Amino acid sequence: MMREFRRARRRNVPKPVAVFDLMTEQVIGRVGNLSESGMLLVATEPVVDDALYQLRFHLRDERGQDVPIDVGAHLVWSAAANTPGQAFAGLRFLTINREPLERLRQWVNAGPEAE
């Protein structure tokens, strides 16, 4: 049995959640999984290791409304995916406002039954 030793709990995203680069105003991929401190990005556009990004993605609130989450993120690693034109990228959140951070924490800790 493999055990995971991460600082923050991660939650897979069951439905596609687009990730926007706020500098280019383009979709650069989708969320693979989320924690309160970072995310796995399934990138459909080229990404640069060790770069800083301003990103936006949306999470559903308890009323079913999409709420924007803006983050400043550091791209820690990337690797080619099996699908041509895609890559996996690990991002660490550097900046996120308090209210979106609380919403993200609630979403991550709610578990899959909250969908």
Side-chain angles (χ1 to χ4, degrees), residues 3-113:
R3 294 179 60 176
E4 186 173 336
F5 295 99
R6 296 185 187 263
R7 291 183 189 166
R9 180 174 188 251
R10 291 181 180 263
R11 180 171 169 202
N12 289 328
V13 180
K15 297 178 184 173
V17 174
V19 177
F20 297 86
D21 181 327
L22 294 176
M23 302 304 287
T24 64
E25 299 181 351
Q26 300 292 317
V27 173
I28 63 167
R30 64 178 173 81
V31 175
N33 65 42
L34 278 170
S35 75
E36 67 181 70
S37 60
M39 72 181 201
L40 173 67
L41 171 70
V42 180
T44 54
E45 296 295 324
V47 292
V48 178
D49 283 345
D50 204 33
L52 301 177
Y53 289 89
Q54 292 291 324
L55 303 173
R56 174 177 290 151
F57 55 91
H58 293 82
L59 292 179
R60 293 257 163 123
D61 67 9
E62 58 281 352
R63 297 169 303 186
Q65 301 293 316
D66 283 342
V67 178
I69 307 288
D70 292 356
V71 298
H74 174 226
L75 198 147
V76 180
W77 62 268
S78 65
N82 291 334
T83 304
Q86 289 187 353
F88 296 116
L91 292 131
R92 179 174 56 100
F93 297 154
L94 300 174
T95 59
I96 183 170
N97 288 333
R98 183 177 37 166
E99 186 177 320
L101 177 59
E102 286 304 316
R103 186 173 306 281
L104 181 58
R105 280 183 181 145
Q106 289 172 358
W107 188 87
V108 167
N109 291 318
E113 64 279 355

